Amino acid sequence: VADRVLGFAAAIDLALTEAMAADERVVVLGEDVRTMRRAQYVRFGGERVLDAPISEAALLGTALGSAMLGLRPVVEIMFVDFVGVALDQLLNHAAKLDALSGGRWTAPIVVRAACGGGYGDAGQHEQALWGLLAGIPGLSVVVPSAPADAAGLFLGALADPGPVVFLEHKLLADYWLDYVGGSARSTVSFDIPADGARGPVPDPLEPVPLGRAALRRDGTDVALVSLGVGVHRCLTVAERLAAEGVEAAVLDLRSVAPLDRAAVTDLGRRTRRVVVVDEDYLRGGLSGEIAAVLAEDGGSTSFARVATETTIPYARHLEEQVLPGVDRILAAVRGLLGTGG
Amino acid sequence: VPALYAQMCRIREVEQAATALWERGLISGELHSGLGEEAIAAGVVAHLRDGDALSLDYRGTPPLVARGVDLPALFGELLGSPDGLCGGRGGHMHLMSRPLRAASSGIVGAPGPLGCGFGLAARRAGRGDIAVAFFGDGALNEGMLMEALNLASVWRLPVVFVCKDNRWAVTTRSSRLTGGGLAGRARGLGLPVLRVDGGDVRAVARVAGRAVRRARAGRGPTFVLATCRRPQGHMAGDPLARLTGAADELAREVRPLLAAVRARPGAPLPARIRALTGIGLRIALVALDVSGRRRDPLRRAARRLPAADAARLAEEARAEVAAAVGKAVGATLDRAEATGGG
């Protein structure tokens, strides 16, 4: 397998093109997709790339119906925050179909959306929301952190028999920052993880199965468990800790639902200290879920978490304090090392 | 017209100043400018009085300026300052002012339901107060906005719904996405529709006056459909608007599309050519909105005034906004210096 270097967004674009070329059933539905996915629009035509009205509820419901009768829709709702407008279609319909039909009917939908903060758009456009969505039985949620996984998880999501929410962090997928005007000027800067925004992608592409975490760095003293941009913040922290003689492991969950429980518990047993770094909300979400997984495993792992605790404020300096950054992660690790030995 | 023109000048100056702050990087995220909507905001808000409420979208600056929002506080908010309208926590998509009874939302269509709630509270207060909801043509495909129009209609709420129709839903032509048309849809939900050229402030003011009087009299909501052209597209740095001005960006975009015409497998060639033409047409239509100074609402309003008056009003607005920007930027820089960071 030879690798090529691609951007995060370009890797997804390639996966989408290959999937559409290989499978006539794959269609793209969404707002502005004939602008944003113009190469696929030109190549596969207007019957397979459909511009939707700004009607997320109708759009997700349409995707569901089309998937129930054999299509494989990739449905785009722009920012994951906008799922609020259409949540019923995911919560009560797409996620329920398999169970309520007694396993006789499934709907392979990929819901594609941009997520995440760090560029000054405030609380209605910068949320992660993967914890909220992953709490719904019947719904899968994946969050790639690098180009190879972006392409691989996209193919994995398309191959999955059920509905999958595929989240692209705006600091990684360059066209999103471009779309919100980031590249129209050189006067703003964003803390973009270079290894996440651009990196090697296998040739040919390989699907990544849902629910399998990836160990990005091994270590024995503490485990940092994260996903998306958080993985790169953790890798930065691990470098700093290494300079102090502390060996930190970094686990990239990649998939919030299904969750790779075994990867979490294995690492917990080995390091006996786990810090979850989650850009999503603290309450009722992924970080608490991981604490529960570790507790249920019966271990004596000491635990800390760094997550988003309030509505994300607009001002960049306030936003930096609210999102899980390197300083907060370091403080959490040090707290754990201090109390845990 | 002089008072309306003065408001339009103030709105224009504020939006141009905001765009400049965005280009300088002092506004980090998205900026949706209301350039081109000056006449609509000025013409509608001129009819409001104390107690009336505003429900706004993410392009809420023009009505707020016309309503008399404190300009240094407005700019402070855009700069993320603690002196800002919302303490720097809301930013330009979420501008709110409790004393002005004005709230914005970054979610398309959201001004509809909130406007109904403002209208309900206004009716309960029994003073003849009303609510105005501003939104774009693309928003009319959101279920919540259609639901809100129906609810206002059957409850006869004192709400004026103002649809700013620039004919684009972000980068897609809204006529291609709106079955039955905007006016037909509102009529179908039982609202009277007043169409107006949103570039003509006198016409907007006349039409808005009728809608506002109707609401105050307890006769129910009105749908005002005001056309406009937004030279900046959906937001600052709009990808389509940018392409119209940059030959090199255009060339970079066209190459992969030509490759997509040839790649196999794919759709039959005629379908691919149709798609390519569709994208070209989009860019050409945006270019039409970007150019066209002749139809600038400010120039049209100025022509109705003695030249010296128009020049004086424009100059006063320029000075007022420049002072407000100076005050807000100055305070932000002072604070940055005091805390040793940005």
Side-chain angles (χ1 to χ4, degrees), chain B:
Chain B
V1 174
L4 294 172
Y5 181 67
Q7 289 293 13
M8 292 171 71
C9 290
R10 295 176 72 241
I11 295 166
R12 171 70 51 95
E13 291 292 334
V14 166
E15 294 294 41
Q16 284 177 342
T19 305
L21 293 173
W22 184 87
E23 277 163 3
R24 285 168 62 191
L26 295 172
I27 294 171
S28 175
E30 294 167 72
L31 180 72
H32 308 80
S33 153
L35 288 172
E37 298 182 354
E38 298 90 348
I40 301 175
V44 171
V45 173
H47 295 282
L48 301 188
R49 62 184 200 201
D50 281 355
D52 292 339
L54 283 174
S55 180
L56 306 170
D57 60 13
Y58 38 85
R59 216 180 294 282
T61 323
L64 277 170
V65 171
R67 196 82 173 103
V69 71
D70 180 62
L71 293 187
L74 174 69
F75 282 111
E77 189 59 29
L78 301 184
L79 294 167
S81 156
D83 307 328
L85 207 53
C86 310
R89 291 177 171 271
H92 106 276
M93 281 196 277
H94 317 99
L95 298 168
M96 307 204 195
S97 167
R98 196 167 178 177
L100 292 178
R101 301 176 171 229
S104 316
S105 171
I107 305 296
V108 174
L114 197 72
C116 287
F118 285 172
L120 181 63
R123 188 167 69 190
R124 290 285 299 149
R127 294 184 301 257
D129 296 339
I130 66 154
V132 181
F134 285 92
F135 47 86
D137 45 321
L140 216 65
N141 286 320
E142 280 290 10
M144 66 173 128
L145 183 50
M146 288 188 269
E147 292 169 24
L149 290 173
N150 180 58
L151 193 143
S153 170
V154 297
W155 286 3
R156 288 168 70 92
L157 292 174
V159 183
V160 177
F161 293 95
V162 181
C163 179
K164 307 164 289 175
D165 177 13
N166 81 323
R167 301 186 296 170
W168 287 97
V170 195
T171 68
T172 303
R173 207 69 173 160
S174 63
S175 58
R176 301 185 60 114
L177 302 171
T178 314
L182 300 166
R185 189 170 294 178
R187 257 186 232 113
L189 293 166
L191 282 87
V193 174
L194 300 175
R195 286 173 181 274
V196 66
D197 171 0
D200 178 349
V201 71
R202 213 161 52 170
V204 173
R206 198 162 43 231
V207 159
R210 282 172 59 194
V212 168
R213 281 192 297 277
R214 188 178 135 86
R216 287 208 202 287
R219 294 203 303 274
T222 302
F223 188 86
V224 175
L225 180 56
T227 50
C228 63
R229 285 144 45 90
R230 277 206 313 267
Q232 282 195 338
H234 179 66
M235 56 196 157
D238 181 300
L240 279 186
R242 224 161 65 213
L243 285 183
T244 63
D248 51 333
E249 279 203 49
L250 197 58
R252 202 173 63 223
E253 290 298 333
V254 164
R255 236 173 279 124
L257 296 185
L258 293 178
V261 171
R262 291 187 301 263
R264 290 182 192 285
L269 198 59
R272 300 199 201 194
I273 300 294
R274 261 202 309 281
L276 198 60
T277 320
I279 291 171
L281 185 65
R282 255 178 220 206
I283 294 171
L285 287 170
V286 169
L288 280 178
D289 279 1
V290 171
S291 62
R293 281 158 44 97
R294 204 165 42 80
R295 294 204 278 168
D296 178 352
L298 265 74
R299 291 176 148 239
R300 291 171 65 185
R303 266 186 251 131
R304 295 213 168 97
L305 296 172
D309 290 2
R312 180 178 48 78
L313 293 170
E315 184 46 43
E316 283 172 9
R318 197 155 26 242
E320 182 198 359
V321 171
V325 174
K327 192 173 165 191
V329 172
T332 304
L333 291 181
D334 286 350
R335 191 170 307 101
E337 238 162 62
T339 58

Side-chain angles (χ1 to χ4, degrees), chain A residues 143-227:
Chain A
V143 188
S145 69
D149 276 354
L153 281 170
F154 190 79
L155 294 178
L158 264 174
D160 193 89
V164 182
V165 179
F166 180 91
L167 296 176
E168 314 167 21
H169 201 291
K170 277 160 276 175
L171 291 188
L172 300 178
D174 53 8
Y175 58 74
W176 278 113
L177 276 185
D178 179 53
Y179 194 73
V180 299
S183 72
R185 53 198 165 142
S186 54
T187 45
V188 280
S189 62
F190 309 106
D191 190 0
I192 296 172
D195 294 341
R198 215 174 153 70
V201 174
D203 187 3
L205 296 177
E206 293 159 7
V208 171
L210 274 50
R212 206 170 294 168
L215 193 63
R216 299 297 180 201
R217 179 188 176 110
D218 208 355
T220 49
D221 299 324
V222 60
L224 308 177
V225 176
S226 191
L227 70 176

